Amino acid sequence: MTLTILSMLLATAINIIPQPLSVREDKGSFKLKGTQISCDAQMGEIPLAAIAELSAQMTIVAGQVYPVSKPVGITETVRAGSGKGIIFAVDPTLVDEAYTINIDKRKAVILANSDNGFLYAIQTLKQLMPVSIYGHDTDEKAKWELPCCEIKDKPRFAYRGMHLDCCRHFWTVDEVKKILDVMATLKLNRFHWHLTEDQGWRAEIKAYPLLTEIGAWRPETIIGYQGMYLDGKFKFDGQRHGGFYTQEEMRDVVEYAARLGITIVPEVDLPGHMVAALASYPWLGCSGKSIETGGDYKVWTIWGVSPDVLCPGKDSTMEFLKTVIGELCDIFPGEYFHIGGDECPKTAWAQCPDCQARIAALGLKSDEHASAETRLQNYVTSEMQAFLATRGKKLIGWDEILEGDLEEGATVMSWRGLRGGIEASNRGFDVIMTPTDYCYFDYCQSDQFNYDEKMAALAESKSLEEMVGEPTCAWWGNLTIKQAYSFNPTAGLDKAAASHIMGAQANVWTEYIPTPEQLEYMIMPRLFAMSEVQWCELRNKDYDKFIEKVKGNGYKMLELKGFNFRNKDE
Ligand code: ACM
Ligand code: ZN
């Protein structure tokens, strides 16, 4: 079949990403020209605002006014199909985030029973329209109509996330909002905002102003791949880099995300990955000096895992953490708070009198399962969990929090493969699956990446583009869109364990992502794949159909949104 015939076929078919639960395509279409939009008085303020926005957008791109009537009591007969125009109504029988769309030649009836259900119905309606709905200009050539159909839809997983590292490189509020917009289009509902790191502290904390006066800035950044410096003599760019979000800006992002149906999961990564905080307040460390250099702590300018971590032996450190997290709990209303917990070397603790005194006071022992120092990290996690509980929040941590003892009620984010998630779900913990093999969007999108070959090539000073044909730098691995699509977060789990898998998330670490253009390139089109992993029942996943949808309206939508993406056939 030629590409033209294929795209003609596609142009008439219903192509929605992520694929809805069920789609029945009927004959004919509903002409939208100047149609009235009616809303149920029982609907929430967020979907009503989204409908007003949809009407405004349709007015621009279709060149016709689409009046929205004042919310009214929608009668049973209208719900059952007697009305006309576009009708949004509450259906109390639908579950959270579910919606239905019924379109015939006279009307489109949209039912949902939650704010997100309505928001997702609107996203689907937009995908049923000509793709120029995503643009800024009037498109008079497009057929402004909706195909007659019946769509019933709800998500497979409740947690559908994307993570963004705003620390290795800083992203402005506008850049973050642009990403939130694309997430919302694909019905993602959690934004995991990685706010603290060795290389930069990004969240204003009123009680500790030096965190952003000092900790948000680094004087320079390592150039190129850290692994290519076989002699360890790194080169730096000499450019100051940094930035932070004021509390007002974070509140603004929270509000913006909420209007898109997205809850933010803030992360303060502790007790490791804390060099920026140590540089701001050296008393947070075991000795007040770097065990790496013997000198003062400095906001890190290279990548990796630093041995300089917080000292949990001191009460002042624990108070600091509660104050920081307390301020952030006031800003982020979601039920989850992420405390990191990954990659925390224990070297400093083993030598620190305060840490050893804490270990003795708590009676922590080393055994075949865990060292006393690992159990000291368990103590930190458990203190944070208890504190978060006083603020009505649940703790999430990376899968390292499973080592040693973990208290009931914690949620585990499995990143080092599926193993942590499998163990955690079998032990009865809730899990969010983010294994590197399927979910790390900092990995190279081609399948050409081979670590050993790459190191050899780097020794010959070849660029990544020469090696793997990618215009951008990337972390040490491959993750093709096909591989991302193939992910099943419950693979290999029995029913009981599978019921603990809350969902899945793409992680976007930004060591090797210095510009917004590159950031967008790394996210797309892989986020399309992640959205089907998160949303679709397995029986509805079909890679060939999916990739045609991406190459059709998917790419066009991104172009119209001005969102950069990778567009290569493997
Ligand atoms: C991680 O990638 N260090 C969670
Ligand atoms: Zn210590």
Side-chain angles (χ1 to χ4, degrees), residues 342-343 398 415 440 509:
D342 59 324
E343 300 176 320
W398 297 111
W415 73 279
Y440 268 44
W509 300 101

Side-chain angles (χ1 to χ4, degrees), residues 8 16 33 88 147 152 180 182 199 222 236 265 304 306 371 426 431-432 434 438 440:
M8 275 166 62
I16 296 160
K33 198 173 171 181
F88 288 88
K152 294 182 179 163
L180 289 169
V182 164
Q199 295 85 359
I222 187 168
F236 294 92
V265 179
S306 170
S371 68
N426 280 310
V431 169
I432 297 150
T434 70
Y438 301 97
Y440 268 44

Side-chain angles (χ1 to χ4, degrees), residues 43 47 88-90 110-122:
M43 286 171 65
F88 288 88
V90 173
I110 296 104
L111 303 177
N113 191 26
S114 56
D115 285 359
N116 276 13
F118 283 112
L119 294 179
Y120 300 150
I122 292 168

Side-chain angles (χ1 to χ4, degrees), residues 176-341:
V176 170
K177 286 181 176 174
K178 191 173 175 192
I179 286 167
L180 289 169
D181 276 327
V182 164
M183 288 172 63
T185 304
L186 301 176
K187 306 184 174 89
L188 274 72
N189 63 359
R190 295 286 187 283
F191 176 59
H192 172 171
W193 203 357
H194 188 77
L195 287 166
T196 69
E197 257 306 337
D198 300 311
Q199 295 85 359
W201 183 284
R202 304 291 174 225
E204 180 192 27
I205 303 296
K206 304 269 190 206
Y208 294 104
L210 298 185
L211 287 171
T212 42
E213 277 173 38
I214 293 173
W217 306 97
R218 58 177 186 258
E220 57 188 3
T221 303
I222 187 168
I223 293 171
Y225 274 100
Q226 195 156 313
M228 74 192 188
Y229 296 97
L230 300 177
D231 58 3
K233 291 187 184 142
F234 304 143
K235 288 202 184 78
F236 294 92
D237 64 6
Q239 284 172 30
R240 187 170 189 253
H241 179 86
F244 65 92
Y245 309 105
T246 64
Q247 295 204 347
E248 201 178 326
E249 284 172 327
M250 289 187 281
R251 284 201 170 88
D252 173 47
V253 175
V254 166
E255 158 85 16
Y256 189 88
R259 295 199 159 270
L260 296 170
I262 297 172
T263 306
I264 298 185
V265 179
E267 180 185 353
V268 171
D269 198 351
L270 64 96
H273 287 290
M274 270 281 171
V275 174
L278 292 166
S280 312
Y281 295 102
W283 50 262
L284 290 168
C286 286
S287 67
K289 293 281 175 204
S290 165
I291 63 165
E292 195 185 15
T293 65
D296 292 340
Y297 300 114
K298 298 230 164 65
V299 179
W300 236 22
T301 54
I302 58 169
W303 317 125
V305 176
S306 170
D308 290 324
V309 302
L310 295 182
C311 175
K314 299 191 182 76
D315 291 342
S316 49
T317 308
M318 303 310 287
E319 280 311 308
F320 165 85
L321 288 176
K322 288 173 192 169
T323 306
V324 166
I325 291 175
E327 284 196 28
L328 293 174
C329 284
D330 289 340
I331 294 167
F332 294 99
E335 65 169 336
Y336 287 121
F337 198 103
H338 202 304
I339 57 96

Side-chain angles (χ1 to χ4, degrees), residues 52-77:
E53 221 170 86
L54 175 71
S55 149
Q57 177 67 2
M58 286 166 71
T59 302
I60 294 168
V61 295
Q64 294 279 335
V65 178
Y66 292 87
V68 184
S69 66
K70 277 223 174 76
V72 290
I74 302 277
T75 62
E76 279 314 312
T77 48

Side-chain angles (χ1 to χ4, degrees), residues 1-12:
M1 197 180 312
T2 68
L3 215 62
T4 335
I5 298 174
L6 189 66
S7 55
M8 275 166 62
L9 281 178
L10 267 173
T12 58

Side-chain angles (χ1 to χ4, degrees), residues 18-19 120 153 155-156 160 187 531-536:
Q19 184 65 29
Y120 300 150
D153 205 6
R156 179 178 178 205
R160 303 180 302 280
K187 306 184 174 89
S531 78
E532 294 221 344
V533 167
Q534 296 164 329
W535 186 273
C536 300

